[in-house]
Amino acid sequence: MLVNRAYVPPELVGGPEGDGWPWDVPCVKELVGEGIVFDAPVTFLVGENGSGKSTIVEAIAEAYGLDGRGGRAGRKYGNDRPPSVLGGAVRLDLTSAGTRMVTGPRTRKKGYFLRAETAFGLMERCGGSRATGRRTPRR
């Protein structure tokens, strides 16, 4: 396990930023204060569309130092896009293994965030048709 708990300190949600997205998303409300405790190697987030599952996972990835759009840690030509409002506010209680993976020089950092939408778009572009699942003819 790499992370024991993900949370947002309540003092980071004050002022005009405390109203509206992402703070009014149901899952995000749970992160403020107590947060999410990870006490098993696998965690399932279950909820309706729009409940904030992807928002939470992307913010945790950003808090861990990964790009919220997907990719590996420590890549040489990463983008300079700042983390989202939520990604910048999330705090992580890391395990000793998690700390080892995010500290040190760029070449020693470990981690990969496989964002579902990014992976699906890549697979679709590399030769699949969404409607049929068959390969798209090359031109």
Side-chain angles (χ1 to χ4, degrees):
M1 300 221 344
L2 304 175
V3 177
N4 286 320
R5 181 172 76 118
Y7 65 98
V8 175
E11 60 272 12
L12 295 181
V13 187
E17 300 86 33
D19 296 328
W21 190 90
W23 310 112
D24 59 358
V25 175
C27 282
V28 174
K29 289 179 183 179
E30 293 293 320
L31 267 182
V32 177
E34 188 174 322
I36 299 173
V37 175
F38 300 101
D39 54 6
V42 177
T43 301
F44 292 93
L45 299 179
V46 180
E48 296 181 23
N49 289 343
S51 63
K53 302 176 299 292
S54 295
T55 302
I56 293 288
V57 172
E58 290 167 9
I60 291 172
E62 289 178 329
Y64 195 74
L66 300 169
D67 187 346
R69 292 180 288 183
R72 68 179 170 87
R75 63 183 169 189
K76 187 172 183 177
Y77 299 107
N79 68 57
D80 58 355
R81 182 180 75 116
S84 66
V85 172
L86 182 58
V90 169
R91 300 296 181 259
L92 302 176
D93 291 342
L94 300 174
T95 64
S96 58
T99 301
R100 280 192 307 272
M101 290 181 77
V102 297
T103 58
R106 174 188 58 78
T107 57
R108 306 274 298 166
K109 292 184 180 181
K110 304 283 186 207
Y112 196 95
F113 178 44
L114 181 60
R115 186 172 181 263
E117 291 86 350
T118 306
F120 181 77
L122 175 64
M123 287 181 248
E124 185 177 50
R125 185 171 181 101
C126 287
S129 169
R130 181 184 301 185
T132 65
R134 288 185 253 143
R135 289 188 56 86
T136 306
R138 295 193 188 246
R139 298 174 193 231

